[in-house]
Structures are given as structure tokens and as C-alpha cells.
Amino acid sequence: MSHTPLDIDALVNELQPALLPDVVNDIAELIGYETTLKLVEAFGGVDFAIPTGAIDSTALRKLVDTIGSAATQKLTKVYGGDDVYIPRCHAALIQLRNQEFCQQVLTMVAGGSTQTAAIHHCMKQYGFSERWAYKVLRAESKRADRQLSLFDN
């Protein structure tokens, strides 16, 4: 069964900055949230010695391989020579994963699957039990309702 690819950009843009540590928000302002997410996934939970960029090094190559050369240049210009703790951003990554799961279920339902079939298909991919999958869907639905109510008058 084929379905539309996820719009990861839209999901990343919905990340709540309050769930992210200040250093991550600062880095995201510099290189964007999607690229920062790649940085967090690769180096989260460690102190990372940001290279100066003046000398080709293993750390510089790792950064370029992870976030690309343009983002690496921006990062090394601001943080070069500093040890920066890259947080794991556990709460934000869980939120992103849950949103991704819900979007995939909704996309499959829009494509003609039943909700039950879509949930059963997606829960395996995300390692969810059926009970947890429904809990995530309910929680994300409530969160979306709260966001919409901000704009209601």
C-alpha cells in the first residue's frame, strides 16, 4: 500500500520552542530547525567541540556529513572553538515522533484505508502497541484542538 510521504518540514515547524533547551533554539535560529534536528539526532547528549573550520578535522567532516557545508560554516562561525553541549531534546523528539505517526495514519485514512488498518500498519513501524497508538492519537487530537482554539474568537 502506497501513501503520500510525510511533510517533515511542517512537523518540524510545529515543534514547540518551549520543549527545546535555549542552546537548541539558538542553534535553530542560526541553521534552521530541520538541520538542528539532524544535529541533535547525531550528537545529542554529548559535549561537542565545534571546530573552527580553519583546519580539516574529523569533527569538521562529521558536521559536514550530518548538517551540510552551509550549516557547518554558520555553526563554526558562531561557535567555532567552543565545547557545546548538544541536548538530546527527548520531549521534543517524542512530540515530533507522535505527530509524524498521527500524520501518517491520517494520510493513510485519506487514501482509503480504514483507521484501524492504518493504525495497525503504522504502530509496527513506530514500535507502538495498539493501546499506545490510540493514546497518542487522542493526545495529538486534543493538542491540535487546543491550538485551534487559540485562534477562535
Short mmCIF file of all heavy atoms in Angstrom, two decimals, residues 30-31 35 39 50-53 59-80:
data_model
loop_
_atom_site.label_atom_id
_atom_site.label_comp_id
_atom_site.label_asym_id
_atom_site.label_seq_id
_atom_site.Cartn_x
_atom_site.Cartn_y
_atom_site.Cartn_z
N LEU A 30 19.97 29.90 13.91
CA LEU A 30 21.14 30.06 13.05
C LEU A 30 21.06 29.16 11.80
O LEU A 30 21.31 29.62 10.69
CB LEU A 30 22.40 29.73 13.86
CG LEU A 30 23.75 29.95 13.24
CD1 LEU A 30 23.98 31.44 12.96
CD2 LEU A 30 24.84 29.43 14.18
N ILE A 31 20.70 27.88 11.99
CA ILE A 31 20.76 26.93 10.88
C ILE A 31 19.41 26.30 10.54
O ILE A 31 19.34 25.47 9.64
CB ILE A 31 21.81 25.81 11.14
CG1 ILE A 31 21.45 24.97 12.37
CG2 ILE A 31 23.20 26.41 11.26
CD1 ILE A 31 22.36 23.77 12.60
N THR A 35 17.59 21.26 10.26
CA THR A 35 19.02 20.96 10.32
C THR A 35 19.46 20.74 11.77
O THR A 35 20.27 19.85 12.05
CB THR A 35 19.82 22.11 9.67
OG1 THR A 35 19.32 22.31 8.35
CG2 THR A 35 21.30 21.78 9.60
N LEU A 39 21.35 17.57 13.76
CA LEU A 39 22.46 17.73 14.70
C LEU A 39 22.16 17.04 16.02
O LEU A 39 23.00 16.31 16.56
CB LEU A 39 22.73 19.22 14.92
CG LEU A 39 23.92 19.60 15.79
CD1 LEU A 39 25.22 19.32 15.04
CD2 LEU A 39 23.85 21.07 16.17
N ILE A 50 33.03 22.19 18.80
CA ILE A 50 32.75 22.73 17.47
C ILE A 50 34.08 23.19 16.86
O ILE A 50 34.78 24.02 17.44
CB ILE A 50 31.78 23.94 17.55
CG1 ILE A 50 30.49 23.58 18.31
CG2 ILE A 50 31.47 24.48 16.15
CD1 ILE A 50 29.57 22.60 17.63
N PRO A 51 34.43 22.63 15.71
CA PRO A 51 35.70 23.01 15.10
C PRO A 51 35.66 24.45 14.61
O PRO A 51 34.58 25.02 14.39
CB PRO A 51 35.84 22.03 13.93
CG PRO A 51 34.47 21.55 13.65
CD PRO A 51 33.70 21.64 14.93
N THR A 52 36.82 25.04 14.44
CA THR A 52 36.89 26.42 13.96
C THR A 52 36.66 26.48 12.46
O THR A 52 36.32 27.52 11.92
CB THR A 52 38.25 27.05 14.28
OG1 THR A 52 39.27 26.28 13.64
CG2 THR A 52 38.49 27.12 15.77
N GLY A 53 36.86 25.39 11.79
CA GLY A 53 36.71 25.36 10.34
C GLY A 53 37.99 25.70 9.61
O GLY A 53 38.08 25.55 8.41
N ALA A 59 36.08 16.05 13.32
CA ALA A 59 34.87 16.71 13.81
C ALA A 59 34.22 17.55 12.71
O ALA A 59 33.00 17.55 12.56
CB ALA A 59 35.19 17.57 15.02
N LEU A 60 35.04 18.24 11.93
CA LEU A 60 34.50 19.07 10.85
C LEU A 60 33.83 18.20 9.79
O LEU A 60 32.73 18.50 9.33
CB LEU A 60 35.62 19.90 10.23
CG LEU A 60 35.20 20.92 9.17
CD1 LEU A 60 34.27 21.97 9.76
CD2 LEU A 60 36.42 21.58 8.54
N ARG A 61 34.46 17.09 9.44
CA ARG A 61 33.87 16.17 8.45
C ARG A 61 32.57 15.58 8.97
O ARG A 61 31.61 15.43 8.22
CB ARG A 61 34.87 15.09 8.07
CG ARG A 61 35.96 15.59 7.12
CD ARG A 61 36.81 14.47 6.53
NE ARG A 61 37.58 13.74 7.52
CZ ARG A 61 38.74 14.14 8.05
NH1 ARG A 61 39.25 15.30 7.68
NH2 ARG A 61 39.38 13.42 8.93
N LYS A 62 32.53 15.24 10.28
CA LYS A 62 31.29 14.71 10.87
C LYS A 62 30.16 15.73 10.77
O LYS A 62 29.03 15.39 10.47
CB LYS A 62 31.51 14.31 12.33
CG LYS A 62 32.26 13.03 12.52
CD LYS A 62 32.41 12.72 14.00
CE LYS A 62 33.23 11.48 14.24
NZ LYS A 62 33.39 11.20 15.67
N LEU A 63 30.49 16.98 11.07
CA LEU A 63 29.48 18.04 10.99
C LEU A 63 28.98 18.21 9.56
O LEU A 63 27.77 18.28 9.32
CB LEU A 63 30.05 19.38 11.48
CG LEU A 63 29.82 19.75 12.92
CD1 LEU A 63 30.45 21.10 13.23
CD2 LEU A 63 28.37 19.75 13.29
N VAL A 64 29.89 18.29 8.61
CA VAL A 64 29.50 18.47 7.21
C VAL A 64 28.65 17.29 6.75
O VAL A 64 27.63 17.48 6.08
CB VAL A 64 30.74 18.65 6.30
CG1 VAL A 64 30.36 18.60 4.82
CG2 VAL A 64 31.43 19.98 6.61
N ASP A 65 29.04 16.07 7.11
CA ASP A 65 28.26 14.89 6.73
C ASP A 65 26.87 14.91 7.35
O ASP A 65 25.92 14.40 6.77
CB ASP A 65 28.98 13.60 7.16
CG ASP A 65 30.23 13.33 6.33
OD1 ASP A 65 30.40 13.98 5.26
OD2 ASP A 65 31.04 12.48 6.75
N THR A 66 26.74 15.49 8.53
CA THR A 66 25.47 15.49 9.25
C THR A 66 24.55 16.64 8.84
O THR A 66 23.37 16.43 8.60
CB THR A 66 25.72 15.56 10.78
OG1 THR A 66 26.54 14.46 11.16
CG2 THR A 66 24.42 15.51 11.55
N ILE A 67 25.09 17.86 8.76
CA ILE A 67 24.23 19.02 8.53
C ILE A 67 24.54 19.78 7.25
O ILE A 67 23.88 20.77 6.95
CB ILE A 67 24.25 19.99 9.74
CG1 ILE A 67 25.65 20.57 9.97
CG2 ILE A 67 23.72 19.31 10.99
CD1 ILE A 67 25.71 21.65 11.04
N GLY A 68 25.54 19.35 6.51
CA GLY A 68 25.88 20.02 5.26
C GLY A 68 26.90 21.13 5.46
O GLY A 68 27.11 21.61 6.57
N SER A 69 27.51 21.54 4.37
CA SER A 69 28.60 22.51 4.48
C SER A 69 28.12 23.92 4.82
O SER A 69 28.76 24.64 5.58
CB SER A 69 29.45 22.52 3.21
OG SER A 69 28.66 22.84 2.10
N ALA A 70 26.98 24.35 4.27
CA ALA A 70 26.49 25.71 4.54
C ALA A 70 26.16 25.88 6.02
O ALA A 70 26.55 26.86 6.66
CB ALA A 70 25.27 26.02 3.69
N ALA A 71 25.45 24.91 6.59
CA ALA A 71 25.10 24.98 8.02
C ALA A 71 26.34 24.86 8.89
O ALA A 71 26.46 25.54 9.92
CB ALA A 71 24.09 23.89 8.37
N THR A 72 27.28 24.02 8.47
CA THR A 72 28.53 23.87 9.22
C THR A 72 29.29 25.19 9.26
O THR A 72 29.82 25.59 10.30
CB THR A 72 29.40 22.76 8.61
OG1 THR A 72 28.70 21.51 8.72
CG2 THR A 72 30.74 22.63 9.33
N GLN A 73 29.34 25.89 8.14
CA GLN A 73 30.03 27.19 8.10
C GLN A 73 29.39 28.18 9.07
O GLN A 73 30.07 28.89 9.79
CB GLN A 73 30.03 27.76 6.68
CG GLN A 73 30.99 27.05 5.77
CD GLN A 73 30.90 27.57 4.32
OE1 GLN A 73 29.98 28.30 3.97
NE2 GLN A 73 31.88 27.18 3.51
N LYS A 74 28.06 28.22 9.08
CA LYS A 74 27.35 29.12 10.01
C LYS A 74 27.64 28.75 11.45
O LYS A 74 27.89 29.62 12.29
CB LYS A 74 25.85 29.07 9.76
CG LYS A 74 25.42 29.69 8.46
CD LYS A 74 23.92 29.53 8.26
CE LYS A 74 23.48 30.04 6.90
NZ LYS A 74 22.03 29.81 6.69
N LEU A 75 27.60 27.46 11.74
CA LEU A 75 27.81 26.98 13.11
C LEU A 75 29.24 27.24 13.57
O LEU A 75 29.46 27.71 14.69
CB LEU A 75 27.50 25.48 13.18
CG LEU A 75 27.23 24.88 14.53
CD1 LEU A 75 26.00 25.53 15.19
CD2 LEU A 75 27.00 23.38 14.41
N THR A 76 30.22 26.99 12.71
CA THR A 76 31.62 27.20 13.11
C THR A 76 31.95 28.68 13.23
O THR A 76 32.80 29.06 14.03
CB THR A 76 32.60 26.52 12.13
OG1 THR A 76 32.37 27.01 10.81
CG2 THR A 76 32.45 25.01 12.15
N LYS A 77 31.25 29.52 12.47
CA LYS A 77 31.50 30.96 12.56
C LYS A 77 31.09 31.49 13.94
O LYS A 77 31.78 32.31 14.53
CB LYS A 77 30.72 31.69 11.47
CG LYS A 77 30.99 33.18 11.42
CD LYS A 77 30.27 33.83 10.26
CE LYS A 77 30.58 35.32 10.23
NZ LYS A 77 29.91 35.99 9.12
N VAL A 78 29.98 30.98 14.47
CA VAL A 78 29.46 31.46 15.76
C VAL A 78 30.05 30.69 16.94
O VAL A 78 30.42 31.27 17.96
CB VAL A 78 27.92 31.39 15.79
CG1 VAL A 78 27.37 31.73 17.16
CG2 VAL A 78 27.33 32.31 14.73
N TYR A 79 30.14 29.36 16.81
CA TYR A 79 30.53 28.51 17.94
C TYR A 79 31.92 27.88 17.79
O TYR A 79 32.34 27.11 18.67
CB TYR A 79 29.51 27.38 18.15
CG TYR A 79 28.15 27.86 18.57
CD1 TYR A 79 27.12 28.00 17.65
CD2 TYR A 79 27.88 28.17 19.89
CE1 TYR A 79 25.86 28.43 18.03
CE2 TYR A 79 26.63 28.61 20.29
CZ TYR A 79 25.62 28.73 19.35
OH TYR A 79 24.37 29.17 19.74
N GLY A 80 32.62 28.17 16.71
CA GLY A 80 33.92 27.55 16.46
C GLY A 80 34.89 27.72 17.63
O GLY A 80 35.05 28.80 18.15
#
